[in-house]
Structures are given as C-alpha cells and as structure tokens.
Amino acid sequence: MSVTAEERARLTSERDQIRDKYLAPREQRPASAARGIHHTALISGDVQRSVEFYQNILGFPLTEMFENRDLAGSTHFFFDVGHGNALAFFDLPGVDVGDYAEVFGGLHHLAISVTPENWRAARERLDAAGVPYQLESETSIYLRDPDGARVELISDQLGEMYGHPVG
C-alpha cells in the first residue's frame, strides 16, 4: 500500500495542523498525570520459551510469576525492562487466539531502550541464537519474539529518537 503525492501532501498538512494545535513547546507543557508505564502485557504461546528469549537472549531478568487472576491455569509473568518498568506476559491455555492480524489499536511494535553496550551484547546473542532481525541504522534492531510480537531494541536515550527529543 502506498499513497499518492497528493495524498501525502494532504496527510502532511493534516499532521502539521494537529501538531500546531496540540504540541506545546517543552517549557510550556504541563506535567504528565502519569508516573510511567507500570507494565505492558503481551500474550505468550509458551512460558518457558518466552522466559528463555526475554531473559537469556534480550537480557531482561524475570522478576515475578504467578497464576493469572482472570483465567484459571494461566501464568502471568514479568521482566524488568529498566526504570521500574515491566514487560508482562500471559499464556492462555485452552484459548484459541487465532492467527495474528494487524488491527487499529493493536500493538505495532514495542521499543525498549537499552544502553549502547547492552544493544551490542543483545545483537551478539541474537546472532548466536540465529534469531533474524532487521538492523535499522546503528541504533535500532527490529525483531520478532518467539510468538511474533515485533520488538525494537533502541540504544537512543530515553526521551530521544534519532537525536530528537520525543518526551
């Protein structure tokens, strides 16, 4: 799917109008009502495989595991992704989730900030494990986790993307 030059110009104009209306200069923005992302929850097709991937390959320690309160027998488990943030998973035994389909409001990808040193180490572990990925510049690696979720490891500072503030 691609857009025509005319459609792109219209979309650019629309984006500019939204930015002009809602994006206040950094020094004029009110403080956020949020404290941060407590956790983002994804679905795991295999608990052990997810733990091995996220802890052993990506380097995010498993921090907690218990039965999911919403589905008997289901496991809810968490990984430390830094700054008090967690990446959580549920497995859904007995539930047919069907094939993946990109939907509006669905997860496009999860971008996790890592130091340049941890970025290089994760890349080496991905290579050693034979996990395919897409290298985007020297700051981003895009990959799919064992269940197909798109993950980006980005070595830019938190609050920045490609040298520009985003937070």
Side-chain angles (χ1 to χ4, degrees):
M1 177 180 169
S2 62
V3 297
T4 65
E6 182 178 289
E7 179 70 1
R8 185 174 181 191
R10 184 190 68 72
L11 293 168
T12 298
S13 175
E14 218 173 82
R15 183 173 43 253
D16 290 344
Q17 289 173 15
I18 294 168
R19 183 187 311 108
D20 292 346
K21 183 174 180 178
Y22 294 105
L23 182 61
R26 180 181 292 271
E27 63 278 358
Q28 295 177 14
R29 289 182 213 153
S32 176
R35 295 187 299 186
I37 303 288
H38 185 279
H39 69 274
T40 298
L42 303 177
I43 298 171
S44 168
D46 182 300
V47 175
Q48 183 167 331
R49 182 182 66 192
S50 293
V51 170
E52 289 172 354
F53 182 79
Y54 281 92
Q55 180 166 273
N56 298 347
I57 295 177
L58 297 187
F60 308 145
L62 180 68
T63 60
E64 184 60 274
M65 181 179 284
F66 50 83
E67 186 176 52
N68 173 7
R69 68 177 179 225
D70 301 324
L71 180 63
S74 171
T75 303
H76 196 18
F77 53 107
F78 298 77
F79 298 92
D80 179 354
V81 293
H83 290 276
N85 295 281
L87 178 59
F89 286 86
F90 295 100
D91 70 335
L92 302 173
V95 176
D96 180 9
V97 295
D99 292 332
Y100 171 81
E102 185 136 1
V103 296
F104 289 114
L107 177 70
H108 184 272
H109 73 276
L110 177 64
I112 301 173
S113 177
V114 296
T115 66
E117 298 78 25
N118 286 331
W119 186 91
R120 286 188 292 276
R123 184 175 177 192
E124 289 174 9
R125 291 189 301 270
L126 289 165
D127 287 337
V131 176
Y133 59 83
Q134 175 186 342
L135 183 63
E136 191 62 44
S137 73
E138 285 299 315
T139 61
S140 291
I141 296 172
Y142 290 90
L143 58 117
R144 290 195 180 270
D145 82 353
D147 289 300
R150 290 175 282 211
V151 177
E152 175 186 9
L153 300 179
I154 185 166
S155 64
D156 289 339
Q157 292 289 328
L158 286 171
E160 290 183 11
M161 187 160 188
Y162 310 129
H164 300 285
V166 294

